[in-house]
Amino acid sequence: MSIAIFRADDVQDSPPVRAPSPVPKAPFPADRAAAGLIVGESAAIRRVLEQVRHVAATDSTVLLLGETGTGKEVIAACLHALSARRDRAMVRVNCSALPPALMESELFGREKGAYTGAVERQIGRFELAHHSTIFLDEIGDLPADTQVKLLRVLEERQVERLGSPRAIRVDTRVIAATHRDLEQGIATGTFREDLFYRLNVFPIHVPPLRDRLEDIPLLVWRFVEEFSKRFGKHVEVITDENMSALRRYVWPGNIRELRNVVERAMVLATGPRLTIALPAAPAGARQRSATLTDVTREHIRGVLESAGWRIRGAGGAAQRLGLKPTTLETRIARLGLTRPQRAPSSFAEEGPAPDRRASHE
């Protein structure tokens, strides 16, 4: 799938990037409801989508790993939407948000009178997710005593409500997620090794935004479309200069931070041309330098653009970089660089909204 952005010739200062055209659904995924969940066409996100393709239709436990704000819950929702369990709602549990004292009853349920204050029976989240999916977010924050009980549930596929000796069998598909290094947690004694191996059946590493910079225009236009509907505003253009600035920012908060920045800009928008102000980077983020891969990707992209995306021949990108054309082609594929395509402008109705290339990026 390729979506492109047209420039407006009547703007002289910085060429605008227009909203993309409606495009047909990509063949992946088969379920149209899941098709718009994941936005991106970079090599990094394509690798994730390929893993999702393989595991979604199974009942295998999936462990989503990645930094805060990278979209792990969106990946979990896509896995559920593509599974045979999609007709029932996915049950979400944030393990870092529940008080430790209530964690066990929330997950596994309780009987009336199980403890002081338990005035009625409570169905646990695992029972609610019977024949469905349970998403255990921030599993690395699970208290040690609950880790033991969760391990038993994963091994035996049955739960016992607090205050009841009767085991209840549950048919629940488990998806867990964490931004923590669980193997380090094992080394420090904060996470059980046996539970890690029970969860780590099919790990998926969700990439940070800095590893999928070419997806930023796609994500920006998706958020613009979302907030246009919410705020009743109409945005047609974002300048090429503005979009390039978004690509150069570190994004320590990843996609969540990008979404917040776009929402702030949409609140302030007064016309069809949107200006997205970059946030003041935290002190820690200012000290972070780009990785060698980031620098290489941006340098090669710049040379390709200056050569009109021509690789071979005199004046081609390979000659300018001092590389063999085949070597450059291999690096382009490994870095996930793709040539922009042009298409008419307007919002996409569903699915991935804007083009991944702002203009010349």
Side-chain angles (χ1 to χ4, degrees), residues 38 45 48-49 51-52 55-56 60-68 70-80 90 133-140 173-182 196 199-207:
I38 302 175
I45 202 63
V48 171
L49 292 175
Q51 291 176 294
V52 169
V55 76
S60 296
T61 299
V62 177
L63 179 60
L64 301 175
L65 304 165
E67 297 175 11
T68 297
T70 52
K72 295 186 289 297
E73 186 168 357
V74 175
I75 301 295
C78 189
L79 285 164
H80 176 70
M90 181 174 75
T133 303
I134 189 167
F135 175 51
L136 302 175
D137 198 9
E138 298 302 346
I139 192 72
R173 199 261 182 90
V174 176
I175 300 174
T178 183
H179 72 281
R180 299 189 183 279
D181 185 338
L182 294 185
F196 170 74
L199 295 170
N200 198 42
V201 176
F202 195 93
I204 296 179
H205 293 266
V206 184

Side-chain angles (χ1 to χ4, degrees), residues 236-286:
E236 294 181 355
V237 296
I238 302 171
T239 67
D240 186 36
E241 180 182 0
N242 196 180
M243 198 68 84
S244 295
L246 296 176
R247 288 176 47 86
R248 291 192 298 270
Y249 180 64
V250 174
W251 299 112
N254 293 295
I255 298 174
R256 183 180 296 126
E257 183 182 17
L258 176 62
R259 184 179 184 276
N260 291 344
V261 167
V262 174
E263 180 176 6
R264 189 179 308 128
M266 289 295 294
V267 169
L268 298 172
T270 57
R273 189 177 193 179
L274 183 68
T275 299
I276 305 174
L278 290 175
R286 293 175 192 269

